[in-house]
Amino acid sequence: MDARLLPDWLERSRAEYAKDLVTAGQTPEDAHRHADESMARSFPSGTPSPGHAVFDVVDDAGETVGYLWIGPDTSDDAGAWWIWDIMIDADKRGRGLGRMAMVLGEEYARAQGAHTLGLSVFGFNTGARGLYESLGYETTSVKMLKRLG
């Protein structure tokens, strides 16, 4: 991604993450605080942490239709990498662009020395879950919530 576009991307990504956290059950205040803290940790001074990269996803016409953020995970295992975020514009989904971005992300991570690639997906995002499963990703944990009133 062009570095000049990073500030706008950071704000959009933070807002999307907060919205998903609210959908998953957090209060708007907690969701925004959590999203702010997460982005500040991952993008100190507005630039990606070492090893992290944000790529534009571009369609055949050369139009930017989404992004992929990838980098090392938070463990001590240098070969463990993480898809921190991937998004394809809603009106561009279903055309294989997310699948292509994921495959290219896997190739990029492998070239950086990764031996595993993980990700987290909200339970309500059934379309993304289906894509990840079709690419061979396996569920390693499940977080559950029950609303009590």
Side-chain angles (χ1 to χ4, degrees), residues 9-11 13-14 17 34-44 69:
W9 175 82
L10 280 167
E11 179 53 31
S13 183
R14 186 203 60 75
Y17 185 39
H34 184 106
D36 289 343
E37 291 169 356
S38 177
M39 295 309 262
R41 238 184 348 269
S42 299
F43 292 87
W69 167 20

Side-chain angles (χ1 to χ4, degrees), residues 4-56:
R4 295 172 296 181
L5 302 176
L6 198 57
D8 288 339
W9 175 82
L10 280 167
E11 179 53 31
R12 185 176 78 181
S13 183
R14 186 203 60 75
E16 289 169 355
Y17 185 39
K19 179 182 170 209
D20 286 344
L21 290 171
V22 169
T23 301
Q26 288 192 14
T27 66
E29 297 78 20
D30 287 346
H32 286 283
R33 187 183 75 257
H34 184 106
D36 289 343
E37 291 169 356
S38 177
M39 295 309 262
R41 238 184 348 269
S42 299
F43 292 87
S45 304
T47 59
S49 295
H52 288 250
V54 179
F55 296 100
D56 285 326

